[in-house]
Amino acid sequence: MTPGKLAIVVPCYNEQEVLPQSLPVLQKVLQQLIDKQLVKDDSKIVFVDDGSTDTTWSLIEQASHLNQDVAGVKLSRNFGHQGALLAGLSVVADADLTITIDSDLQDDPTAMIAMVEKYHEGNEVVYGVRNNRDSDSSFKRTTAELFYKIMGFLGVNLVPDSADFRLLSQRATRVLLSYPEKNLFLRGLVPLVGFKSDKVYYRRHERAAGTSKYPLYKMLHFAIDGITSFSVAPIKLIMSLGLLIVGISLLLLIYTIIQKMRGDVVSGWSSLMVSIWALGGIQLICISVIGEYVGKIFNEVKGRPRFTIEKNLYNKTKNEQGENDD
């Protein structure tokens, strides 16, 4: 396979502390790929500023003016990590292959060399997979394992320990961009693309600088998005729970009638109150789960753009309005 043009898409949100460190590292790896003749010399690193409120965009703009291998894309506001990734992919859709990687250097940039080699072996999707979770807390390791088990139980095809560090061929990128949903969960969408795929294992590191943009509440929201975007199993579980409660109620009704006939009547204020509170809580949970799906339908039918590009230094001739459903 002949060398192709590579675009390395790097989503950024308030990363002014880490960008000066990550840029030279990414440039070094890109130059190694060019020297090995694995990619063309017009390959680029494309930083996507997801509505940062610090000097992130200024740093990107400055780097793009000083380096021919660096370009930038600025979104009009914060659209979230997944929206920024999709915006970057839409801008570089002309590239023969694309690699997405976060700017914090937790994902090992040197693994990109092995990814491109896998691409030259005929793979159109190459997943970066962590070979350890030593850098995570015990709580995060446990919850991550639980998340993948739940997703597997619900029938969602995910690559365990693989986040958004991956390589996509041009064809795979265009197929991914053709998916119109607004509720983005790329870890679940990419396996749906199909095509020949492989994995590259790497050791994940601590953040080079700055703070994580995924605190606990965002991780929980991300997990709920993943589950509700790809499976209706929770709604089916609610139905099963409802039937179970009805069955228990019938048994209790029969038991109460029998006790009444035997004259063994005991006042049950406590048990009654517990039952009311328990059933009330279950009902609220069920309504919330159903509401989550209704909310997703609400967001989908509005048809709003998944991102809006304010500035495009990668290809200034492109329409700077986010290609709605690209």
Side-chain angles (χ1 to χ4, degrees), residues 97-243:
L97 61 156
T98 304
I99 295 177
T100 57
I101 184 173
D102 289 339
S103 61
D104 54 20
L105 297 182
Q106 284 190 285
D107 298 322
D108 185 5
T110 61
M112 292 192 289
I113 297 174
M115 286 182 167
V116 177
E117 290 174 344
K118 293 284 187 182
Y119 166 78
H120 283 286
E121 292 172 6
N123 296 285
E124 298 202 50
V125 180
V126 182
Y127 300 97
V129 180
R130 300 172 60 169
N131 60 13
N132 71 88
R133 283 191 171 269
D134 296 342
S135 60
D136 290 346
S137 64
S138 58
F139 174 77
K140 190 170 182 179
R141 285 196 297 268
T142 302
T143 52
E145 291 174 3
L146 179 62
F147 171 71
Y148 285 113
K149 286 180 180 179
I150 291 174
M151 294 298 278
F153 173 74
L154 297 178
V156 182
N157 182 26
L158 292 181
V159 179
D161 295 324
S162 173
D164 292 304
F165 183 30
R166 65 177 73 88
L167 177 149
L168 298 171
S169 69
Q170 184 183 85
R171 181 166 65 159
T173 298
R174 287 179 175 173
V175 171
L176 179 63
L177 292 172
S178 71
Y179 294 163
E181 51 250 65
K182 306 294 185 297
N183 298 292
L184 296 171
F185 185 67
L186 295 180
R187 298 182 197 185
L189 281 177
V190 172
L192 297 180
V193 169
F195 304 132
K196 185 180 179 182
S197 65
D198 206 339
K199 303 173 184 176
V200 168
Y201 293 89
Y202 67 96
R203 183 179 183 83
R204 189 170 170 86
H205 307 291
E206 297 285 347
R207 279 185 65 94
T211 58
S212 172
K213 304 306 182 294
Y214 263 91
L216 178 60
Y217 78 92
K218 278 194 174 182
M219 291 174 60
L220 290 173
H221 187 270
F222 188 67
I224 292 171
D225 266 350
I227 293 171
T228 54
S229 294
F230 281 85
S231 176
V232 294
I235 292 181
K236 294 181 179 178
L237 289 174
I238 287 175
M239 180 181 292
S240 300
L241 179 62
L243 292 173

Side-chain angles (χ1 to χ4, degrees), residues 237-253:
L237 289 174
I238 287 175
M239 180 181 292
S240 300
L241 179 62
L243 292 173
L244 176 63
I245 292 173
V246 170
I248 293 173
S249 300
L250 290 174
L251 290 175
L252 289 174
L253 177 62

Side-chain angles (χ1 to χ4, degrees), residues 11-27:
C12 306
Y13 178 65
N14 292 341
E15 298 288 6
Q16 63 179 11
E17 296 177 4
V18 78
L19 277 182
Q21 298 183 47
S22 59
L23 175 57
V25 173
L26 293 172
Q27 284 181 306

Side-chain angles (χ1 to χ4, degrees), residues 244-313:
L244 176 63
I245 292 173
V246 170
I248 293 173
S249 300
L250 290 174
L251 290 175
L252 289 174
L253 177 62
I254 294 171
Y255 172 77
T256 302
I257 293 173
I258 293 174
Q259 291 295 92
K260 180 74 173 179
M261 293 174 63
R262 293 174 59 183
D264 187 14
V265 179
V266 180
S267 61
W269 183 87
S270 299
S271 60
L272 179 62
M273 292 302 295
V274 170
S275 299
I276 291 173
W277 280 94
L279 288 174
I282 291 172
Q283 288 173 342
L284 287 174
I285 292 172
C286 294
I287 292 171
S288 298
V289 172
I290 295 172
E292 182 73 22
Y293 283 94
V294 173
K296 288 187 178 297
I297 295 171
F298 176 69
N299 287 330
E300 291 288 340
V301 298
K302 285 186 293 186
R304 293 175 181 171
R306 295 178 292 186
F307 56 86
T308 302
I309 296 174
E310 181 178 332
K311 293 182 180 180
N312 181 356
L313 303 180

Side-chain angles (χ1 to χ4, degrees), residues 312-321 323:
N312 181 356
L313 303 180
Y314 176 79
N315 183 352
K316 295 181 180 179
T317 62
K318 279 183 70 71
N319 183 1
E320 292 194 352
Q321 177 69 28
E323 299 284 331

